[in-house]
């Protein structure tokens, strides 16, 4: 790193601080965060992970697998101890970790400091565009590069046992954090490419990955977990109601695809660059296989760009090394450093100013509000329902996909009609995503609910408006777009009984 100048340590610390600030100023708007907090709270209170549906009255007794239990527990404990600022700080630390892990991978592979920092920057770009929130899958951008770095060292015969322990720990963290944990085996391809002098070193590295998978409390149920998460679901049928579940190349045709164009173009250029690079036959085979598998995954769903990047992170690193082969590392000039710091300060300040409304909605474990995207119109209705309902009465609430996660956290005394098995973790029952135009799908178990919070554009809204014994209590205009306008309905008998009981 000395090639970056005598002050490279100071510059690295400043870069880390900037990255931390960029992560910490992002608002807690992810639609899945409320569900993660609800699951984390359940785990902390019960001191166990759930195997049976803990929330949805429509799935009472059904299997439930909180495969992201570790980050969910951490999210809740941090919020409970430090409030929403703690979650923002955790978000910033994870951003720093993604950059540091990619930097370690590049350095373990022998990359010069300049290209290594570029690879770290690319890892950050993927985290910012394709995750962009406090999500369990962020751990993949940390653990996969760390495992790759350890396999590079094992191949070189450096501290084999210690690096095997790093691989085991990273694999265990991933298996307890996200369903894509099998991806931790991808870096093991390096032992086939470079073949360490001792076969037992390669075996130890691969065994460490698999041993990490077995640390999950669901390790004996992995087949059931995968089967329940990838079973046919109304949210998966094309066109999916979730943008990130739509095919990647279809998403590029949207009116505003600018955020996707640059990273996708960069990934598509990797084979063209590597075709001109000096690589061994094994390296070319590995690059082609990993890149192609990732391409297919991205073609299936936009969100799987993360998988494409992680499968191809080593070939991408080789491509960067080839493109920068004729350059020399040099410390940035002082004026460029100052300009970069000034620009970063302006961006962070602007983000803070622009996010004041979100900050005001970020509560804690006592004031359970969040500026959840897609459910902003739901909060006034949730507050109304909370103030009206009998404390500690377990009422049944019918709701929709965008609202299910938020309401499960916001109104713990209600049981929302949602199914948390799918991807993302807050997938609602199929009936709760039925638009007015979907005439071939039933509108759900509204007859058995006590109350309902449903977007006005859903067919269930029209049904509830005309149903005997039901009344619309209130409606809220959509934020930020009109199609998110939402209404609150209740069974007249339950609404009147609840108010009367509360008064006495």
């Amino acid at each position: 790193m000395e090639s970056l100048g005598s002050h490279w340590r100071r510059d690295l610390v400043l870069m880390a601080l900037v990255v931390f600030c960029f992560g910490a100023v992002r608002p807690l708007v992810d639609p899945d965060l409320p569900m993660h907090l609800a699951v984390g709270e359940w785990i902390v209170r019960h001191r166990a992970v759930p195997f049976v549906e803990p929330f949805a009255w429509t799935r009472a007794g059904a299997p439930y697998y909180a495969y992201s239990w570790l980050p969910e527990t951490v999210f809740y404990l941090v919020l409970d101890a430090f409030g929403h600022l703690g979650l923002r700080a955790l978000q910033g630390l994870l951003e720093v970790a993604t950059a540091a892990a990619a930097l370690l991978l590049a350095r373990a592979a022998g990359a010069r400091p300049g290209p290594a920092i570029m690879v770290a920057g690319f890892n950050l770009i993927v985290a910012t565009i394709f995750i962009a929130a406090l999500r369990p899958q962020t751990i993949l951008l940390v653990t996969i590069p760390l495992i790759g770095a350890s396999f590079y060292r094992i191949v070189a015969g450096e501290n084999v046992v210690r690096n095997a322990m790093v691989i085991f720990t990273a694999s265990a963290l991933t298996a307890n954090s996200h369903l894509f944990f099998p991806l931790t085996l991808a870096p093991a391809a390096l032992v086939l490419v470079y073949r360490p002098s001792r076969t037992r070193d390669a075996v130890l590295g691969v065994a460490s990955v698999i041993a990490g998978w077995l640390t999950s409390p669901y390790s004996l149920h992995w087949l059931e977990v995968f089967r329940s998460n990838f079973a046919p679901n109304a949210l998966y049928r094309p066109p999916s109601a979730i943008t990130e579940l739509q095919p990647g190349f279809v998403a590029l045709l949207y009116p505003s695809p600018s955020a996707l164009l640059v990273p996708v173009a960069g990934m598509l250029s990797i084979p063209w660059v590597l075709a001109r690079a000096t690589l061994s036959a094994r390296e070319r085979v590995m690059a082609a296989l990993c890149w192609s598998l990732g391409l297919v995954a991205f073609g299936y769903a936009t969100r799987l760009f993360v998988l494409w990047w992680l499968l191809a992170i080593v070939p991408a690193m080789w491509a960067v090394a080839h493109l920068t082969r004729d350059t020399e590392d040099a410390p940035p000039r002082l004026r460029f450093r100052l300009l970069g710091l000034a620009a970063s300060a302006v961006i962070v300040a602007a983000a803070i100013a622009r996010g004041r409304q979100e900050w005001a909605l970020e509560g804690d474990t006592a004031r359970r509000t969040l500026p959840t995207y897609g459910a902003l119109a739901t909060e006034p209705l949730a507050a109304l329902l909370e103030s009206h309902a009998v404390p500690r009465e377990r009422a049944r609430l019918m709701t929709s996909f965008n609202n299910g996660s938020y309401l499960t956290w916001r109104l713990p005394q209600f049981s929302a009609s949602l199914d948390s098995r799918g991807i993302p973790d807050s997938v609602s029952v199929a009936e709760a995503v039925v638009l007015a135009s979907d005439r071939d799908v039933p509108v759900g178990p509204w007859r058995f609910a006590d109350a309902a919070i449903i977007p006005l554009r859903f067919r269930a809204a029209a049904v509830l408006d005309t149903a005997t014994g039901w009344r619309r209590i209130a409606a809220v205009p959509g934020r930020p777009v009109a199609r998110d306008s939402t209404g609150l309905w209740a069974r007249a008998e339950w609404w009147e009984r609840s108010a009367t009981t509360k008064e006495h």
Side-chain angles (χ1 to χ4, degrees), residues 21-208:
C21 290
F22 278 131
V25 297
R26 284 209 305 266
L28 304 173
V29 298
D30 183 62
D32 296 334
L33 180 58
M35 175 56 69
H36 292 317
L37 292 171
V39 175
E41 181 180 38
W42 191 98
I43 292 171
V44 169
R45 292 188 174 181
H46 292 81
R47 298 183 181 275
V49 297
F51 282 85
V52 178
E53 173 64 55
F55 304 116
W57 61 273
T58 52
R59 296 190 65 250
Y64 184 97
Y65 305 106
Y67 53 83
S68 296
W69 72 271
L70 182 57
E72 288 169 339
T73 303
V74 171
F75 293 170
Y76 175 76
L77 290 175
V78 169
L79 180 66
D80 190 43
F82 305 105
H84 70 107
L85 294 180
L87 286 181
R88 283 178 172 264
L90 178 61
Q91 194 167 246
L93 289 174
L94 286 172
E95 291 288 325
V96 174
T98 62
L103 187 64
L104 289 173
L105 169 62
R107 294 296 286 164
R112 291 182 292 109
I117 292 175
M118 292 177 63
V119 174
F122 294 151
N123 210 34
L124 277 175
I125 291 172
V126 173
T128 301
I129 295 179
F130 294 92
I131 298 180
L134 191 60
R135 289 181 166 187
Q137 52 262 53
T138 304
I139 196 68
L140 295 166
L141 296 172
V142 179
T143 57
I144 303 300
L146 284 179
I147 291 173
S150 294
F151 268 112
Y152 261 113
R153 296 191 180 101
I154 285 177
V155 166
E158 301 176 8
N159 300 312
V160 173
V161 175
R162 186 174 70 182
N163 282 292
M165 289 301 299
V166 172
I167 291 173
F168 167 77
T169 303
S171 176
L173 284 173
T174 313
N176 288 280
S177 299
H178 200 266
L179 202 58
F180 289 168
F181 68 88
L183 198 61
T184 54
L185 194 58
L190 292 169
V191 302
L192 299 176
V193 174
Y194 297 114
R195 294 189 178 182
S197 57
R198 297 184 301 183
T199 303
R200 66 181 183 183
D201 293 347
V203 172
L204 179 61
V206 174
S208 298

Side-chain angles (χ1 to χ4, degrees), residues 41-383:
E41 181 180 38
W42 191 98
I43 292 171
V44 169
R45 292 188 174 181
H46 292 81
R47 298 183 181 275
V49 297
F51 282 85
V52 178
E53 173 64 55
F55 304 116
W57 61 273
T58 52
R59 296 190 65 250
Y64 184 97
Y65 305 106
Y67 53 83
S68 296
W69 72 271
L70 182 57
E72 288 169 339
T73 303
V74 171
F75 293 170
Y76 175 76
L77 290 175
V78 169
L79 180 66
D80 190 43
F82 305 105
H84 70 107
L85 294 180
L87 286 181
R88 283 178 172 264
L90 178 61
Q91 194 167 246
L93 289 174
L94 286 172
E95 291 288 325
V96 174
T98 62
L103 187 64
L104 289 173
L105 169 62
R107 294 296 286 164
R112 291 182 292 109
I117 292 175
M118 292 177 63
V119 174
F122 294 151
N123 210 34
L124 277 175
I125 291 172
V126 173
T128 301
I129 295 179
F130 294 92
I131 298 180
L134 191 60
R135 289 181 166 187
Q137 52 262 53
T138 304
I139 196 68
L140 295 166
L141 296 172
V142 179
T143 57
I144 303 300
L146 284 179
I147 291 173
S150 294
F151 268 112
Y152 261 113
R153 296 191 180 101
I154 285 177
V155 166
E158 301 176 8
N159 300 312
V160 173
V161 175
R162 186 174 70 182
N163 282 292
M165 289 301 299
V166 172
I167 291 173
F168 167 77
T169 303
S171 176
L173 284 173
T174 313
N176 288 280
S177 299
H178 200 266
L179 202 58
F180 289 168
F181 68 88
L183 198 61
T184 54
L185 194 58
L190 292 169
V191 302
L192 299 176
V193 174
Y194 297 114
R195 294 189 178 182
S197 57
R198 297 184 301 183
T199 303
R200 66 181 183 183
D201 293 347
V203 172
L204 179 61
V206 174
S208 298
V209 173
I210 297 174
W213 298 353
L214 302 179
T215 62
S216 169
Y218 298 113
S219 59
L220 299 180
H221 304 269
W222 281 133
L223 288 179
E224 293 93 334
V225 174
F226 281 101
R227 187 180 299 115
S228 66
N229 278 273
F230 295 106
N233 188 294
L235 294 173
Y236 293 163
R237 66 180 184 179
S240 175
I242 309 174
T243 301
E244 63 181 11
L245 290 184
Q246 296 179 0
F249 293 102
V250 172
L252 292 176
L253 303 177
Y254 291 163
S256 301
S258 55
L260 295 177
L261 285 176
V262 173
V264 170
M267 293 299 292
L268 291 174
S269 69
I270 289 177
W272 179 82
V273 175
L274 292 183
R276 292 157 176 77
T278 303
L279 299 175
S280 68
R282 289 195 183 96
E283 288 173 330
R284 293 187 183 279
V285 170
M286 174 187 169
L289 181 61
C290 291
W291 185 88
S292 299
L293 288 174
L295 176 68
V296 172
F298 176 68
Y300 179 77
T302 303
R303 64 171 293 157
L304 297 183
F305 183 93
V306 175
L307 188 149
W308 189 13
W309 163 251
L310 290 173
L311 282 172
I313 188 170
V314 172
M317 184 176 60
W318 295 340
V320 170
H322 174 73
L323 291 173
T324 59
R325 65 191 183 282
D326 297 327
T327 63
E328 294 183 5
D329 288 336
R333 296 180 179 179
L334 179 59
R335 61 186 179 188
F336 288 120
R337 297 181 192 176
L338 295 177
L339 181 62
L341 287 175
S344 299
V346 169
I347 293 173
V348 169
I352 293 175
R354 189 172 57 249
R356 284 179 300 177
Q357 184 178 6
E358 285 80 6
W359 281 66
L361 291 175
E362 292 176 0
D364 50 28
T365 53
R367 188 175 74 92
R368 305 166 72 94
T369 59
L370 284 168
T372 302
Y373 180 78
L376 291 175
T378 303
E379 172 52 33
L381 301 176

